[in-house]
Amino acid sequence: MDYALQRRNRLAAARRPQRSLDSSELCDADPLLLRAARHHGEAVDLACPICAAPHLVNLNYVFGDQLGQYSGRIKSSAELDEMENQFGEFKVRVVEVCTECGWNQMISSYLLGDGVTRRPPRRQPTVEDIYG
Protein backbone atom coordinates (compact mmCIF):
# COMPACT_ATOMS: atom_id res chain seq x y z
CA MET A 1 0.00 0.00 0.00
CA ASP A 2 1.36 3.38 -0.97
CA TYR A 3 0.77 6.37 1.30
CA ALA A 4 1.72 9.00 -1.31
CA LEU A 5 -1.75 10.60 -1.31
CA GLN A 6 -1.76 10.91 2.47
CA ARG A 7 1.72 12.46 2.35
CA ARG A 8 0.71 14.87 -0.41
CA ASN A 9 -2.43 15.89 1.51
CA ARG A 10 -0.42 16.55 4.67
CA LEU A 11 2.09 18.70 2.77
CA ALA A 12 -0.68 20.58 0.93
CA ALA A 13 -2.37 21.34 4.26
CA ALA A 14 0.88 22.80 5.52
CA ARG A 15 1.09 25.16 2.54
CA ARG A 16 -2.51 26.41 2.71
CA PRO A 17 -2.54 29.91 4.22
CA GLN A 18 -6.00 29.66 5.78
CA ARG A 19 -5.45 26.29 7.50
CA SER A 20 -1.71 25.95 7.66
CA LEU A 21 -0.28 23.42 10.06
CA ASP A 22 2.29 24.46 12.59
CA SER A 23 5.79 23.10 12.02
CA SER A 24 5.55 21.36 15.39
CA GLU A 25 2.62 19.33 13.98
CA LEU A 26 4.57 18.38 10.86
CA CYS A 27 8.00 17.79 12.38
CA ASP A 28 6.94 15.74 15.37
CA ALA A 29 9.32 12.78 15.22
CA ASP A 30 9.85 10.95 18.47
CA PRO A 31 13.45 11.17 19.78
CA LEU A 32 13.79 7.39 19.45
CA LEU A 33 12.67 7.56 15.82
CA LEU A 34 15.25 10.28 15.13
CA ARG A 35 17.98 8.22 16.78
CA ALA A 36 17.00 5.16 14.74
CA ALA A 37 17.03 7.28 11.57
CA ARG A 38 20.52 8.61 12.31
CA HIS A 39 22.02 5.19 12.97
CA HIS A 40 19.97 2.78 10.83
CA GLY A 41 18.34 4.88 8.11
CA GLU A 42 19.05 4.36 4.44
CA ALA A 43 19.73 7.64 2.66
CA VAL A 44 17.28 8.71 -0.06
CA ASP A 45 18.05 10.96 -3.03
CA LEU A 46 15.31 13.40 -2.02
CA ALA A 47 15.39 16.58 0.00
CA CYS A 48 13.11 17.03 2.98
CA PRO A 49 9.76 18.51 1.85
CA ILE A 50 9.67 20.82 4.90
CA CYS A 51 13.21 22.14 5.47
CA ALA A 52 14.83 21.12 2.13
CA ALA A 53 17.74 19.49 3.98
CA PRO A 54 19.36 16.54 2.20
CA HIS A 55 19.10 14.39 5.33
CA LEU A 56 16.02 12.33 4.37
CA VAL A 57 16.29 8.61 5.20
CA ASN A 58 14.03 5.57 5.06
CA LEU A 59 13.53 3.06 7.86
CA ASN A 60 12.16 -0.44 7.15
CA TYR A 61 10.22 -1.83 10.12
CA VAL A 62 9.26 -5.52 9.99
CA PHE A 63 6.24 -7.08 11.73
CA GLY A 64 4.85 -10.60 11.76
CA ASP A 65 3.93 -13.56 13.93
CA GLN A 66 6.56 -15.75 12.29
CA LEU A 67 9.33 -13.32 13.25
CA GLY A 68 8.88 -13.96 16.97
CA GLN A 69 10.89 -11.57 19.14
CA TYR A 70 12.35 -9.96 16.01
CA SER A 71 9.01 -8.42 15.06
CA GLY A 72 9.07 -4.63 15.21
CA ARG A 73 12.75 -4.27 14.38
CA ILE A 74 14.45 -2.16 11.72
CA LYS A 75 16.03 -4.02 8.82
CA SER A 76 18.11 -2.86 5.87
CA SER A 77 17.06 -3.55 2.30
CA ALA A 78 19.75 -6.25 2.02
CA GLU A 79 18.42 -7.95 5.16
CA LEU A 80 14.89 -7.85 3.72
CA ASP A 81 16.12 -9.70 0.63
CA GLU A 82 17.54 -12.46 2.85
CA MET A 83 14.47 -12.60 5.10
CA GLU A 84 12.14 -13.02 2.13
CA ASN A 85 13.21 -16.67 1.79
CA GLN A 86 13.50 -17.39 5.53
CA PHE A 87 9.97 -16.48 6.65
CA GLY A 88 6.54 -17.28 5.30
CA GLU A 89 4.94 -13.88 5.62
CA PHE A 90 5.77 -10.60 7.29
CA LYS A 91 4.82 -6.98 6.80
CA VAL A 92 7.31 -4.21 6.02
CA ARG A 93 6.43 -0.60 6.82
CA VAL A 94 8.66 2.07 5.34
CA VAL A 95 8.91 5.40 7.17
CA GLU A 96 10.72 8.43 5.80
CA VAL A 97 12.40 10.66 8.37
CA CYS A 98 14.31 13.93 8.14
CA THR A 99 17.06 13.88 10.74
CA GLU A 100 17.36 17.67 10.51
CA CYS A 101 13.82 18.92 11.26
CA GLY A 102 11.99 15.78 12.44
CA TRP A 103 9.56 15.35 9.51
CA ASN A 104 8.29 11.77 9.38
CA GLN A 105 5.68 9.97 7.32
CA MET A 106 4.90 6.33 6.55
CA ILE A 107 5.35 6.07 2.81
CA SER A 108 4.56 2.42 2.09
CA SER A 109 3.56 -0.90 3.55
CA TYR A 110 3.90 -4.29 1.87
CA LEU A 111 4.08 -8.03 2.52
CA LEU A 112 7.15 -10.19 1.97
CA GLY A 113 7.84 -13.88 2.43
CA ASP A 114 7.78 -17.16 0.57
CA GLY A 115 4.29 -18.25 1.70
CA VAL A 116 5.46 -21.28 3.70
CA THR A 117 4.06 -21.21 7.25
CA ARG A 118 6.78 -21.60 9.87
CA ARG A 119 7.00 -21.48 13.63
CA PRO A 120 8.67 -18.41 15.11
CA PRO A 121 12.35 -18.86 15.98
CA ARG A 122 13.17 -19.84 19.55
CA ARG A 123 13.43 -16.90 21.85
CA GLN A 124 17.01 -15.90 22.45
CA PRO A 125 18.01 -14.14 25.69
CA THR A 126 18.54 -10.42 25.19
CA VAL A 127 20.63 -7.92 27.12
CA GLU A 128 17.51 -6.86 28.99
CA ASP A 129 16.92 -10.43 30.10
CA ILE A 130 20.49 -10.82 31.32
CA TYR A 131 20.98 -7.46 33.06
CA GLY A 132 17.36 -6.63 33.88
Side-chain angles (χ1 to χ4, degrees), residues 16 43 46 58 66 71 73 78 87 95 102 106 111 115 117-118:
R16 272 188 232 125
L46 299 172
N58 284 351
Q66 294 182 22
S71 180
R73 298 210 178 162
F87 297 98
V95 179
M106 185 173 3
L111 289 175
T117 304
R118 296 179 178 86

Side-chain angles (χ1 to χ4, degrees), residues 2-49:
D2 192 2
Y3 293 91
L5 290 176
Q6 188 180 44
R7 180 182 187 268
R8 191 178 322 152
N9 186 29
R10 193 171 169 204
L11 290 171
R15 293 184 179 108
R16 272 188 232 125
Q18 68 273 23
R19 295 181 57 187
S20 68
L21 296 173
D22 188 6
S23 65
S24 64
E25 293 178 45
L26 291 171
C27 302
D28 61 350
D30 185 83
L32 293 176
L33 180 64
L34 287 173
R35 186 181 317 165
R38 284 187 192 102
H39 296 289
H40 303 289
E42 296 179 342
V44 181
D45 291 335
L46 299 172
C48 174

Side-chain angles (χ1 to χ4, degrees), residues 72-120:
R73 298 210 178 162
I74 299 169
K75 299 292 182 181
S76 69
S77 296
E79 290 173 312
L80 290 177
D81 291 339
E82 292 174 15
M83 289 175 65
E84 189 172 15
N85 297 320
Q86 295 174 350
F87 297 98
E89 183 179 289
F90 60 96
K91 182 175 270 197
V92 180
R93 293 190 176 148
V94 183
V95 179
E96 73 177 2
V97 181
C98 176
T99 57
E100 194 72 28
C101 72
W103 158 262
N104 63 95
Q105 175 72 37
M106 185 173 3
I107 57 173
S108 65
S109 175
Y110 56 93
L111 289 175
L112 280 181
D114 59 8
V116 179
T117 304
R118 296 179 178 86
R119 293 174 52 144

